[in-house]
Amino acid sequence: MEVELLSSSESPSAGRVDVAAIFAEHHVGLVRLALLMLGDRAGAEDVVQEAFARTHAGRARLRDPDRALSYVRSAVLNGCRSMLRKRAAMLRRAVPHEPPVWSAESAVLLGEERREVLIALQRLPRRQREALTLRYYFDLSDQEIAETMGISGGTTRSTIARGLAALGRALGEGS
């Protein structure tokens, strides 16, 4: 695939999205988002790469270039959903196997409490997991979360509240 990058001396023309700048600034965070959703680093990197490739290919069609990051986030979440659906379909057809094990590196980096939170987060319904990740990992506002997930602001707030309550119950906190 041929990639056209803007040099530092060139500025994006009106209506043109500088995908390279978005990539440079947000790639790592988006891979982390996908990793939280998928639990698989290679899959997370693939999803993010595909989201950026599609954004680059369709950058001329973006109606509002200022919302390109929101578009990429949405593409990453959609890619994660798609990959999780494919995995679920494969699991229904395949012989049961052991669940993925955290790597030794991850186990060292993550304390036991943090790992318990991640496991509990993985068990939440998809929408709650996504909303909590976007809020507390990426510090997005309700409106940004709503735009990324394609839901209303009220739905965002109630989804986060339900997710926090379910996470608290899963971790044995509160009543």
Side-chain angles (χ1 to χ4, degrees), residues 101-123:
V101 177
W102 289 89
S103 70
E105 257 177 34
S106 297
V108 169
L109 294 174
L110 301 174
E112 187 59 33
E113 286 181 10
R114 189 167 180 196
R115 209 157 50 117
E116 286 178 19
V117 171
L118 289 173
I119 290 169
L121 188 64
Q122 288 294 325
R123 291 183 179 148

Side-chain angles (χ1 to χ4, degrees), residues 153-175:
T155 302
T156 299
R157 289 185 288 280
S158 64
T159 300
I160 290 171
R162 284 193 311 271
L164 286 174
L167 198 57
R169 284 190 303 272
L171 296 172
E173 296 176 2
S175 49

Side-chain angles (χ1 to χ4, degrees), residues 26-46:
H26 299 285
H27 174 261
V28 173
L30 291 169
V31 169
R32 288 179 181 158
L33 168 65
L35 179 60
L36 285 170
M37 295 293 113
L38 298 173
D40 167 29
R41 184 175 180 96
E45 290 173 348
D46 288 346

